[in-house]
């Protein structure tokens, strides 16, 4: 059975009734709901679900329809960049699907979304049709407010749908490998420190490859908000070491970190091995991993 993961980001993190309606719409299709993460400062909800491709795209369309009806970008305020009520829809291959397969799925779904809900759609990452749209940050440049004035220009013509924007905004649809959304809070209320650290560590600023980062003020605390594009090439251990180094330059420290959504198990094991200075081959010495391979039934071993 082919399995695909979908991780839509909706521009709503405060109204519980709207978030509940989004979840209800998505779970009305035969999919597995994996996670719901909402943040009022970002004013954003990330829903993670998985299933067979047809069921996943059906669920996503149902959720998008609710978002278009219930979320007004003219009234939306939050610290996270966004261009639409359904801001971004990534498809991630999980089982018996390639990234190329997911790119084709994303393109087909993007066309359907534009046709059925009258939303301008931009394709990004592996699904991108234009090289300048591979990076999501480039697609989302200037947010909804700038896109309103630029959508009629050749540079910002949508890939699908008409070059007209309503209060539902536009949507970026893409295909990618697993991404880790990871935030670090600083012992400071000065957002300029978070911004300086974000600039120093992210790939576009000459920092770590496969890392995106923004400096934000969340709940009165300076936050470095990160997307780890490929944890296999830029590990969590590398990121934490660089974060601590840059924080020390500004006489602050990391007080807390958090995940938004889910994380591959291998990323956590990799961090543990690096922290313990164990060789990577130690992966194979994990009890559950060895037992699962031996009996064909991988699950956590619980100890009383």
């Amino acid at each position: 059975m082919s399995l695909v993961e979908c991780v839509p980001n909706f521009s709503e993190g405060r109204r519980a009734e709207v978030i509940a309606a989004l979840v209800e719409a998505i779970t009305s299709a035969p999919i597995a709901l994996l996670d719901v993460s909402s943040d009022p400062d970002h004013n954003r909800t990330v829903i993670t679900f998985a299933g067979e491709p047809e069921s996943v795209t059906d669920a996503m369309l149902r959720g998008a329809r609710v978002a278009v009806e219930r979320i007004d970008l003219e009234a939306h305020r939050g610290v996270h960049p966004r261009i639409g009520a359904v801001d971004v829809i990534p498809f991630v291959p999980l089982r018996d699907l390639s990234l190329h397969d997911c790119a084709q799925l994303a393109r087909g779904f993007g066309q359907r979304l534009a046709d059925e809900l009258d939303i301008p759609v931009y394709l990004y990452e592996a699904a991108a049709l234009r090289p300048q749209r591979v990076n999501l940050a480039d697609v989302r440049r200037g947010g909804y407010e700038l896109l309103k004035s630029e959508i009629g220009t050749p540079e910002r013509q949508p890939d699908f749908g008409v070059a007209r924007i309503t209060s539902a905004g536009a949507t970026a649809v893409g295909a990618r490998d697993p991404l880790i959304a990871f935030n670090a809070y600083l012992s400071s209320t000065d957002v300029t420190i978070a911004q300086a650290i974000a600039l120093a560590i992210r790939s576009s600023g000459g920092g770590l490859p496969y890392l995106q980062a923004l400096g934000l003020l969340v709940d009165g605390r300076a936050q470095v908000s990160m997307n780890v594009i490929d944890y296999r090439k830029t590990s969590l251990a590398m990121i934490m070491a660089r974060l601590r180094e840059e924080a020390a330059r500004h006489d602050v420290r990391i007080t807390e970190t958090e995940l938004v959504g889910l994380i591959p198990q291998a990323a956590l094991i990799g961090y543990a091995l690096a922290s313990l200075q164990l060789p990577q081959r130690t992966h194979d010495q994990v009890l559950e991993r060895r037992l699962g391979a031996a009996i064909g039934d991988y699950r956590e071993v619980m100890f009383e």
Side-chain angles (χ1 to χ4, degrees):
M1 178 176 67
S2 298
L3 284 180
V4 62
E5 179 185 58
C6 190
V7 194
N9 289 219
F10 297 96
S11 295
E12 178 57 68
R14 298 171 183 170
R15 295 178 294 167
E17 70 280 7
V18 176
I19 297 168
L22 292 168
V23 172
E24 182 179 5
I26 287 170
T27 55
S28 66
I31 52 86
L33 180 67
L34 303 179
D35 187 70
V36 179
S37 297
S38 298
D39 184 273
D41 288 285
H42 287 238
N43 202 2
R44 194 170 182 85
T45 293
V46 179
I47 299 178
T48 306
F49 60 98
E52 295 185 76
E54 185 176 349
S55 296
V56 165
T57 53
D58 184 32
M60 187 62 249
L61 189 66
R62 297 182 193 195
R65 186 170 284 112
V66 170
V68 169
E69 293 170 354
R70 304 285 294 271
I71 300 173
D72 180 358
L73 265 289
E74 292 293 323
H76 180 273
R77 298 293 181 272
V79 299
H80 200 287
R82 81 286 184 268
I83 56 170
V86 194
D87 186 52
V88 57
I89 303 172
F91 293 97
V92 182
L94 293 184
R95 184 179 297 162
D96 295 331
L97 284 173
S98 67
L99 188 57
H100 174 76
D101 294 332
C102 274
Q104 294 300 107
L105 183 71
R107 290 167 186 161
F109 178 78
Q111 180 74 72
R112 183 180 175 193
L113 185 68
D115 291 346
E116 296 192 25
L117 298 186
D118 197 25
I119 298 173
V121 169
Y122 296 86
L123 298 172
Y124 78 102
E125 289 252 353
L129 297 176
R130 308 185 193 188
Q132 64 270 33
R133 292 183 179 173
V134 171
N135 189 329
L136 178 60
D138 293 332
V139 173
R140 211 158 47 189
R141 176 179 53 82
Y144 167 73
E145 287 74 17
L146 184 61
L147 184 60
K148 281 196 299 182
S149 63
E150 292 189 348
I151 194 167
T153 65
E155 180 189 1
R156 305 207 74 175
Q157 286 285 316
D159 291 300
F160 299 123
V162 296
R164 181 184 68 249
I165 200 163
T166 69
S167 61
T171 299
V173 179
R176 59 165 173 78
D177 287 320
L179 171 150
I180 301 172
F182 179 59
N183 301 329
Y185 290 91
L186 307 176
S187 59
S188 174
T189 60
D190 187 349
V191 70
T192 63
I193 294 178
Q195 291 168 344
I197 292 173
L199 177 61
I201 68 171
R202 67 187 179 223
S203 56
S204 64
L208 295 169
Y210 305 101
L211 181 66
Q212 300 170 341
L214 290 171
L216 306 171
L217 190 65
V218 176
D219 195 24
R221 295 185 291 171
Q223 181 197 83
V224 182
S225 177
M226 295 164 283
N227 281 340
V228 187
I229 304 302
D230 193 335
Y231 69 88
R232 296 161 297 187
K233 296 174 181 173
T234 296
S235 69
L236 294 180
M238 294 167 62
I239 294 167
M240 287 301 297
R242 189 65 186 273
L243 274 171
R244 292 188 177 109
E245 177 185 324
E246 293 299 328
R249 291 184 198 275
H250 294 273
D251 295 319
V252 298
R253 59 188 174 83
I254 299 167
T255 59
E256 179 186 357
T257 62
E258 68 179 2
L259 286 172
V260 180
L262 306 183
I263 184 171
Q265 177 181 264
L268 292 176
I269 294 176
Y271 182 82
L273 297 183
S275 298
L276 293 169
Q277 296 183 313
L278 288 167
Q280 285 300 305
R281 65 176 180 274
T282 312
H283 258 115
D284 192 47
Q285 292 176 254
V286 175
L287 172 61
E288 288 89 344
R289 194 178 173 98
R290 190 73 66 87
L291 182 62
I295 67 174
D297 182 12
Y298 182 92
R299 66 181 73 181
E300 183 180 3
V301 175
M302 304 296 292
F303 298 95
E304 294 183 358

